[in-house]
Amino acid sequence: MPEIVIQEISKTLGGLLTLGEINMKAADSAFVGILGPSGCGKSTLFNIISGLMRPDSGHVFIDKQDVTGRTGRVSYMRQKDLLLPSLNILENASIPLILKGHPKKKAHAEAEKHLSQFGLEGFQRYYPSQLSGGMRQRAAMLRTYLFSSDILLLDEPFASLDAITKRKMQTWLIGVFNQIRPTVMFITHDVDEALYLCDKVYVLSECPTVVKMEIKVPFSRPQHGRTITDPGYSKMRDTIMEALEL
Amino acid sequence: MKKLKNTVNIVIPLAFVTLLLTGWEVMVRCKSVPEWILPGPVRIARTFADNAPVIAKHSQSTLLECLAGFGIAIVFSFVIAFLMDEIELIKRALYPLIVASQTVPIVSVAPLFIIWFGYGLMPKIIVVVLVCFFPIAISLMGGLAAVDREYLELFRSMKASRLDIFRMVKLPLAMPSFFSGLRISAAYSVMGAVIGEWLGAKQGLGLYMTLSQRSFQVDRVFAAILAVTALSAALFVLVVLAERLVIPWNRLKQDR
Ligand SMILES: Nc1ncnc2c1ncn2[C@@H]1O[C@H](COP(=O)(O)OP(=O)(O)O)[C@@H](O)[C@H]1O
Ligand SMILES: [Mg+2]
């Protein structure tokens, strides 16, 4: 599985220096969190990694290959599911394969293989509007996965879900992660979510955004939805809160 | 419970219409209004039945003009909307022109088409196209422009071509808006055809109307109005059915 290196990325948007010299690294099969105040440029960073936007300076390397400003290597999943209302779940999930030129039948068969893993078994013929928010996010994640199965960029994927669904989705995501071991970058502004899921968390500052803190999360990722009870947890939480000036 | 509510929703307006028609009939009979000023509904119904074959023949050409004009307007709308959506220069050049063209009343230019194209179907079809084009094109372009930017970014990041994005994302997402424009212009199309026929025609409900009016056969004018209304309603229903067929998924949202 690949390694992502973000090297001295800076970007000015609308005359405002949004990202100033960002350095990050997501090792092979790491689960890396990005925490930061809203509007600090987290989504902008993903736009740059996925090649939708060119940085003013700096580079993005995936497996030592410079992919700066080039689309096609990774896509990313957003807070909105962005499923097409005109297609059913299976057709929606197959879109990346269709775009890569697979014939429809083959694309559907390939997507169908992963339905149960993404908790969508039996729902392939349903339209997005017939499903709950959590299900739709899982379908969107399957679509992201089918574009690049070795890297998942997730931009606040659970932010619009209610607390219970969110917790279920987090536990489910850990399960999927343990099976397929991709390299994950996960944007959130929820400190607990970051500590719950990630091996490493980057805390970002307000604009112009720099990496304020890089924290290794020492607790092992919880199994079966348990709460982390490690005594070091609340201390680490406080440190991050302080860095975020909350 | 829901069924009962639906029945009530149908029964109430139906009862109201019956009341109005009865009132109309009673008024005409009690005050003995002359038939060439205002015939009662019963008389109109009888005239309609008596002249059904003639009215059907005239309806046929009006319907033909409507469908032809409607179809051409749809094709034009798609071509123009596609070009304007894909090519910024064309949008800048055409959009103000299209909006400004709506300040010209179609009725005022219709006589020109009669001069140029005679009394056949052609000038009516042109009027129908002109009347229908605007609501269809504007709603289609509005739908295309309203597509969430994030959809476009997502598909661009998945290396979709511009054509793919138009075909897979923009067009389906614009369909609900397109159909709302289509519903409006369904009714407009009949109006356009009838106006075209008023100005001179060999056949059509508009012609039947003017002929009846000139001979003060008001009951026939009303019968023609009835036919025109039925035609509008039929086209509207046709559009609604097409909508259900083409975008069945759009109704799921309303059910929730
Ligand atoms: N294309 C753009 N042009 C100009 N400004 C932008 C653009 N995209 C985002 N911005 C601005 O850049 C800042 C960072 O945006 P974003 O990356 O979405 O923040 P975050 O995801 O951290 O909430 C915001 O203030 C936003 O208004
Ligand atoms: Mg964001």
Side-chain angles (χ1 to χ4, degrees):
Chain A
M1 295 289 153
E3 170 193 78
I4 306 167
V5 175
I6 290 156
Q7 201 178 69
E8 294 171 2
I9 292 278
S10 67
K11 180 76 188 174
T12 301
L13 282 174
L16 204 75
L17 181 63
T18 309
L19 298 176
E21 300 267 307
I22 302 274
N23 287 293
M24 283 184 189
K25 188 174 159 185
D28 175 39
S29 292
F31 202 126
V32 175
I34 299 170
L35 257 176
S38 104
C40 78
K42 303 184 294 296
S43 300
T44 304
L45 186 63
F46 271 14
N47 281 332
I48 290 171
I49 298 175
S50 61
L52 280 173
M53 207 180 244
R54 258 189 180 286
D56 296 341
S57 65
H59 295 275
V60 178
F61 296 98
I62 294 179
D63 264 346
K64 310 230 158 41
Q65 203 186 356
D66 193 340
V67 294
T68 319
R70 275 195 282 148
T71 55
R73 180 60 182 88
V74 280
S75 165
Y76 76 91
M77 175 182 165
R78 299 143 201 260
Q79 185 180 337
K80 289 185 221 163
D81 57 69
L82 300 176
L83 297 170
L84 292 174
S86 51
L87 302 181
N88 67 34
I89 294 302
L90 186 66
E91 291 164 336
N92 261 298
S94 313
I95 286 172
L97 302 175
I98 302 268
L99 288 174
K100 283 178 187 173
H102 292 48
K104 205 177 224 174
K105 241 188 184 152
K106 222 177 121 211
H108 287 183
E110 175 65 24
E112 203 138 27
K113 278 191 223 156
H114 301 280
L115 284 175
S116 71
Q117 188 168 36
F118 284 78
L120 296 164
E121 185 107 77
F123 290 95
Q124 54 266 53
R125 305 262 169 264
Y126 282 60
Y127 284 87
S129 59
Q130 297 174 298
L131 298 184
S132 67
M135 290 266 235
R136 287 207 297 266
Q137 287 305 81
R138 284 205 292 263
M141 203 176 293
L142 174 55
R143 181 181 57 189
T144 314
Y145 171 75
L146 288 175
F147 186 75
S148 63
S149 53
D150 52 355
I151 300 176
L152 289 178
L153 302 183
L154 309 174
D155 186 355
E156 308 193 25
F158 306 145
S160 56
L161 302 176
D162 64 85
I164 296 170
T165 313
K166 187 172 179 173
R167 192 49 174 267
K168 276 189 192 152
M169 293 287 284
Q170 290 165 351
T171 309
W172 166 79
L173 180 60
I174 290 173
V176 172
F177 175 76
N178 286 335
Q179 281 166 30
I180 56 184
R181 307 293 299 177
T183 303
V184 181
M185 292 184 93
F186 190 100
I187 291 178
T188 176
H189 49 229
D190 178 342
V191 179
D192 292 309
E193 184 172 55
L195 288 176
Y196 189 65
L197 293 172
C198 305
D199 312 312
K200 179 162 81 174
V201 178
Y202 287 101
V203 182
L204 302 182
S205 66
E206 300 253 5
C207 277
T209 305
V210 291
V211 175
K212 210 166 184 184
M213 192 187 269
E214 178 184 341
I215 297 183
K216 279 214 154 34
V217 183
F219 341 108
S220 59
R221 208 172 278 109
Q223 301 288 336
H224 312 300
R226 295 252 168 70
T227 309
I228 300 168
T229 49
D230 193 295
Y233 179 79
S234 56
K235 199 160 160 248
M236 183 161 277
R237 197 172 179 278
D238 286 343
T239 320
I240 294 176
M241 287 292 203
E242 225 164 84
L244 286 168
E245 290 162 15
L246 290 173
Chain B
M1 197 59 215
K2 206 179 159 195
K3 228 177 192 164
L4 184 75
K5 213 170 151 191
N6 278 343
T7 321
V8 169
N9 278 346
I10 295 170
V11 167
I12 291 179
L14 219 59
F16 185 63
V17 169
T18 314
L19 194 73
L20 273 180
L21 288 177
T22 315
W24 177 358
E25 186 70 34
V26 169
M27 189 197 77
V28 168
R29 286 187 188 214
C30 289
K31 301 257 169 192
S32 39
V33 182
E35 217 146 65
W36 52 272
I37 292 192
L38 182 67
V42 173
R43 176 65 217 240
I44 294 168
R46 203 177 308 135
T47 307
F48 190 87
D50 291 346
N51 294 290
V54 182
I55 291 175
K57 202 186 67 190
H58 287 295
S59 300
Q60 226 169 32
S61 22
T62 306
L63 184 64
L64 187 66
E65 292 153 13
C66 288
L67 290 177
F70 204 43
I72 294 170
I74 291 173
V75 173
F76 265 171
S77 302
F78 269 95
V79 173
I80 296 283
F82 174 75
L83 289 177
M84 284 178 50
D85 194 70
E86 285 296 301
I87 304 166
E88 184 67 26
L89 188 71
I90 294 188
K91 185 169 195 164
R92 291 217 188 155
L94 281 188
Y95 195 82
L97 218 70
I98 291 177
V99 173
S101 73
Q102 287 307 296
T103 54
V104 182
I106 308 279
V107 202
S108 67
V109 289
L112 282 177
F113 304 138
I114 306 270
I115 295 173
W116 293 335
F117 303 108
Y119 289 94
L121 295 181
M122 183 64 115
K124 287 93 191 173
I125 292 175
I126 294 175
V127 174
V128 175
V129 171
L130 289 180
V131 171
C132 292
F133 172 74
F134 188 73
I136 300 176
I138 289 293
S139 61
L140 184 54
M141 286 186 293
L144 290 173
V147 171
D148 190 340
R149 220 189 63 219
E150 288 200 58
Y151 272 106
L152 309 182
E153 286 175 1
L154 174 73
F155 275 75
R156 267 206 299 132
S157 78
M158 294 196 293
K159 267 201 161 334
S161 66
R162 287 176 73 99
L163 195 67
D164 281 334
I165 291 180
F166 188 83
R167 203 169 46 85
M168 294 174 78
V169 185
K170 286 187 170 180
L171 213 48
L173 287 174
M175 275 301 111
S177 168
F178 164 71
F179 271 103
S180 63
L182 216 54
R183 265 181 266 144
I184 295 171
S185 55
Y188 281 10
S189 72
V190 181
M191 184 195 73
V194 169
I195 288 176
E197 288 163 357
W198 278 351
L199 298 171
K202 293 184 193 132
Q203 214 178 55
L205 286 171
L207 174 74
Y208 184 70
M209 248 175 172
T210 27
L211 291 181
S212 310
Q213 176 230 336
R214 281 190 200 137
S215 52
F216 288 95
Q217 287 173 304
V218 184
D219 53 340
R220 284 200 195 181
V221 175
F222 270 105
I225 292 173
L226 206 62
V228 169
T229 310
L231 221 55
S232 288
L235 279 180
F236 185 85
V237 170
L238 194 71
V239 170
V240 171
L241 288 180
E243 182 173 352
R244 287 187 184 188
L245 209 69
V246 177
I247 49 170
W249 46 269
N250 196 42
R251 271 157 50 82
L252 300 173
K253 237 180 302 180
Q254 293 156 3
D255 288 349
R256 262 154 63 92

